[in-house]
Amino acid sequence: MPAAADAAHLTEVLRKSGVIGEGKVRHVAVQKSFATVLSHFFQLRLAYDDGAVGAPTSLILKAGLPSRAGGPWMGGRHEVAFYTEVASAMPAGYVPRCFGSHWDPDTGAWHLLFEDLSESHFVATQWPLPPTLAQCETIVRMRARFQAAWWDDARLGVTVGAWRDASATAQSVKSLEDQYASFADDLGDRLSTKRRDLYARLFDVAPRLSARYHSRRHMTIVQGDAHVWNCFLPRVGGADGAKLFDWDAWRIDVGSDDLAYMMAIHWCPDLRLRFEGHLLDCYHDELVARGVQDYDRTALQEDYRLSVLWHTTTPIWHRAVGIPPVIWWNNLERIHLAVDDLGCRDLLT
């Protein structure tokens, strides 16, 4: 059992969170555990002494994979920061409650301790099956509510997150170019001349395209890994009960980045073309209902097209950090088809 799951540690964490008073966790058992590509989950069953009335009987422990410690993707650090910087600075209800978190800069070991939502919530489908349109609408509206809460917030880049300056952006693009060189060399003739030309032009005009980000206008917090399986839907009740999960790639950016990641990267053309416009409408309607001003539907469409174009680099980054080809190869195909459908190459000229 992970050290973060022993009875004494859990007693201390739950006491600091105000969940238990003088009571103690008497016994902890791992009821279920499973690994994902980047982390390991444990469902913990807890027993208490008589002084812990109303305390949770189960919790979810999320921890790093020992095999990935010190690898190219420094997992956990960013998600721990999210729950200390972001979740703690906004009203409850958007994300699962986190009782405790830790990241060790020396070893790279990390963990987060969450409320167990398995009885009250569910993930819409098993990957890679897309959800229904109604479920997608619930997810998109929840995302819009979260992003509206941080839309052009004065804390962005001050006490929450950080802005990249032009130099940092140039360095990020240079890193992507280096990753692309390895990516293209490895794929050989499996990467077409047309797509190679797109990447060459994208890197060439990156400073101009980055002006949208550097405007620092109509910006918010994005989840990053915003696929539909990172949202818990309520078993009973309305969309307000949905919760967004997995924040290891969060940043300050354009809200449409999350929408493009959800739809353009993960959906084949037939489904995307039928759902895409309606879900963008729902997202925009929810932003307006939550008080976002001076950001019309046309502006959202243009941001979405730019986000789709930038996301052609996502499979490159995924390969670089060790995401398996079964994920990034299929994402590569889908995102380039979305670029064609949305006329994103026009943004390069």
Side-chain angles (χ1 to χ4, degrees):
M1 182 185 297
D6 67 52
H9 178 81
L10 291 176
T11 296
E12 180 183 357
V13 168
L14 294 175
R15 192 168 287 162
K16 285 182 178 179
S17 299
V19 176
I20 58 176
E22 295 304 315
K24 295 181 180 180
V25 178
R26 177 169 46 85
H27 179 70
V28 186
V30 176
Q31 184 164 315
K32 184 189 304 183
S33 74
F34 62 92
T36 65
V37 174
L38 297 174
S39 56
H40 202 122
F41 288 85
F42 303 85
Q43 185 182 41
L44 308 178
R45 184 63 59 183
L46 280 62
Y48 302 85
D49 63 18
D50 294 337
V53 178
T57 58
S58 63
L59 297 170
I60 299 297
L61 176 66
K62 181 181 181 181
L65 296 172
S67 61
R68 295 192 68 90
W73 171 245
M74 190 65 74
R77 177 179 61 178
H78 215 44
E79 189 166 16
V80 168
F82 173 84
Y83 282 97
T84 55
E85 291 182 26
V86 183
S88 62
M90 63 185 303
Y94 294 97
V95 299
R97 182 178 180 185
C98 182
F99 296 113
S101 61
H102 177 72
W103 180 76
D104 188 325
D106 295 325
T107 66
W110 61 274
H111 70 265
L112 299 117
L113 191 67
F114 295 106
E115 64 178 327
D116 186 355
L117 297 172
S118 57
E119 295 297 320
S120 59
H121 290 70
F122 68 102
V123 176
T125 67
Q126 182 177 1
W127 178 85
L129 182 66
T132 66
L133 180 58
Q135 290 169 333
C136 290
E137 183 173 330
T138 296
I139 294 168
V140 163
R141 288 189 180 277
M142 182 58 187
R143 188 168 304 287
R145 284 193 289 277
F146 174 90
Q147 292 186 347
W150 286 103
W151 202 268
D152 285 343
D153 192 288
R155 293 170 291 180
L156 295 179
V158 181
T159 59
V160 174
W163 293 108
R164 298 190 315 272
D165 60 18
S167 175
T169 296
Q171 185 176 4
S172 178
V173 172
K174 177 62 170 60
S175 177
L176 262 176
E177 284 189 87
D178 292 342
Q179 292 171 351
Y180 168 72
S182 172
F183 178 86
D185 184 62
D186 184 55
L187 283 183
D189 59 10
R190 291 168 293 184
L191 186 66
S192 69
T193 300
K194 180 180 179 182
R195 291 180 181 180
R196 289 172 182 270
D197 178 63
L198 181 145
Y199 285 118
R201 294 166 65 194
L202 176 60
F203 294 135
D204 186 52
V205 301
R208 174 173 61 80
L209 297 180
S210 298
R212 171 66 185 93
Y213 169 86
H214 291 296
S215 73
R216 298 188 182 182
R217 179 78 172 117
H218 295 304
M219 304 290 279
T220 185
I221 292 174
V222 300
Q223 187 175 7
D225 194 16
H227 56 67
V228 295
W229 305 280
N230 275 341
C231 183
F232 293 130
L233 302 179
R235 295 188 186 277
V236 179
D240 287 349
K243 294 180 187 290
L244 300 170
F245 181 71
D246 196 341
W247 291 88
D248 212 15
W250 74 277
R251 65 186 186 277
I252 304 171
D253 217 314
V254 182
S256 57
D257 278 6
D258 277 349
L259 301 177
Y261 190 88
M262 170 183 160
M263 297 186 284
I265 282 186
H266 288 92
W267 294 350
C268 293
D270 177 72
L271 183 97
R272 177 175 49 77
L273 292 170
R274 287 188 289 112
F275 283 14
E276 191 173 54
H278 172 70
L279 293 175
L280 288 171
D281 289 342
C282 291
Y283 173 83
H284 186 262
D285 289 346
E286 197 69 35
L287 288 183
V288 173
R290 300 287 164 163
V292 172
Q293 299 178 345
D294 303 322
Y295 186 71
D296 60 26
R297 180 63 175 81
T298 300
L300 170 60
Q301 187 68 27
E302 290 309 299
D303 277 348
Y304 182 74
R305 292 175 67 226
L306 182 57
S307 293
V308 169
L309 180 61
W310 275 119
H311 270 307
T312 58
T313 65
T314 297
I316 299 171
W317 177 75
H318 280 171
R319 174 186 175 275
V321 299
I323 302 296
V326 69
I327 294 176
W328 64 255
W329 170 255
N330 290 302
N331 291 346
L332 177 71
E333 291 301 302
R334 288 186 291 253
I335 193 63
H336 278 278
L337 291 172
V339 163
D340 293 339
D341 290 338
L342 292 163
C344 298
R345 280 184 174 79
D346 295 345
L347 301 174
L348 297 169
T349 59

